[in-house]
Each structure stands twice: as C-alpha cells, then as structure tokens.
Amino acid sequence: ALGENTETGIEWVETAEQPADFVLSQNYPNPFDPETTIAFSIPAATEVVLTIYNLKGQRVKTLMSGFLGAGSYKARWDGINEGGNRVSSGVYLYQLIAGDQRIVRKMHLLGLIASIFRLYARKRQSDRRETRLQRALHQHYSLLTAAPR
C-alpha cells in the first residue's frame, strides 16, 4: 500500500499496472465483526462514491465521495454509521459509483449477537474440559481410596 487519505479512510494500493476494468471486490472478511475491507479498482480518474446501505435502502455510511485517480483502492468499514453508532448485525449492501458505472454487493455483519454466541461456545467448551478433568480426578481419587492399605 502506498498511502492512506486520513480524511476519507481510502487507501491507495500500489499495483504494477493500471486497472483495465471497473471492479468492486467482495468485502473481506465476510461475514465480519467488527471491521471489513472493501477493495475496488477504477481504470480512469473520476468522481467516486462508496456507500453502505441497510436492506431497507437507507444510507448507513458514505465511506468515500470525491475524485480519485485511476488505480486500485481499499476502504475499511468498522460497522459505525454516520451518527457514530455501531449498527446492528445483519446484511448490508455496499455500492460503488464511479462516473456512469455502478456496482452493488452484499456483506454480513455478525455484530453483538454473534460475539455473544462465540463467547458462550468458548465457555461451554471450557466447561466440558473442566468436567472431563473433574471426572478424571474423581476416578483417580477413587482408585487411590480403594487401594488396600
């Protein structure tokens, strides 16, 4: 990566060749929690708008709105809306408009519910390990106490 514009959060990616096509890649990771990266390429300098929408079609956040030169770029979204609040888990759309071209893709934010589920799953796994250890200790203790003196 060559540099990042801190005002827009858009990072210019150094490539060997100028992109030949207008491309909006699938975000990664997807699903994501709490942050994702959206990569795109534009073959010629143009006005670019990169926007996140919910499934109701309501604008959640505009990641980029301005003029970019030909090249490949990456934008990061942290799941925060225009108002500075974390959005709920679910499916979101991201749209790239560059000149007269437009591409829309879907992404999945796991959010709080998934985080709670992962913590619960880790706790259950830990509890199972603890239960196995308790059984092994109990068996070992039983063998020790049952041994003739």
Side-chain angles (χ1 to χ4, degrees):
L2 189 61
E4 181 172 349
N5 180 331
T6 54
E7 282 182 30
T8 62
I10 301 294
E11 180 181 348
W12 184 70
V13 179
E14 189 173 13
T15 56
E17 299 177 12
Q18 180 174 326
D21 296 314
F22 173 60
V23 175
L24 177 61
S25 299
Q26 184 63 53
N27 66 300
Y28 61 91
N30 188 40
F32 69 98
D33 180 20
E35 184 176 280
T36 192
T37 298
I38 299 168
F40 62 94
S41 298
I42 52 174
T46 188
E47 288 290 321
V48 173
V49 180
L50 179 59
T51 310
I52 310 292
Y53 293 93
N54 63 24
L55 287 180
K56 295 178 183 177
Q58 300 165 323
R59 188 184 73 214
V60 173
K61 177 104 180 207
T62 299
L63 298 179
M64 167 65 196
S65 180
F67 189 84
L68 289 177
S72 296
Y73 298 87
K74 290 181 182 178
R76 286 185 200 82
W77 184 45
D78 56 6
I80 303 295
N81 66 15
E82 295 285 6
N85 300 310
R86 179 158 301 284
V87 299
S88 60
S89 59
V91 177
Y92 290 85
L93 305 173
Y94 57 105
Q95 173 182 263
L96 177 66
I97 298 173
D100 62 351
Q101 299 188 63
R102 179 178 85 108
I103 300 176
V104 178
R105 294 197 183 275
K106 275 196 266 187
M107 61 181 158
H108 302 265
L109 171 60
L110 293 177
L112 183 60
I113 293 170
S115 296
I116 291 170
F117 178 76
R118 283 195 305 273
L119 287 171
Y120 175 73
R122 270 192 228 128
K123 173 149 179 27
R124 286 198 52 189
Q125 185 178 24
S126 175
D127 289 349
R128 283 194 297 271
R129 277 193 295 255
E130 189 174 310
T131 301
R132 285 194 301 267
L133 179 61
Q134 286 171 342
R135 265 189 266 137
L137 288 172
H138 180 70
Q139 287 174 345
H140 184 69
Y141 178 75
S142 296
L143 289 173
L144 287 175
T145 57
R149 297 182 184 215

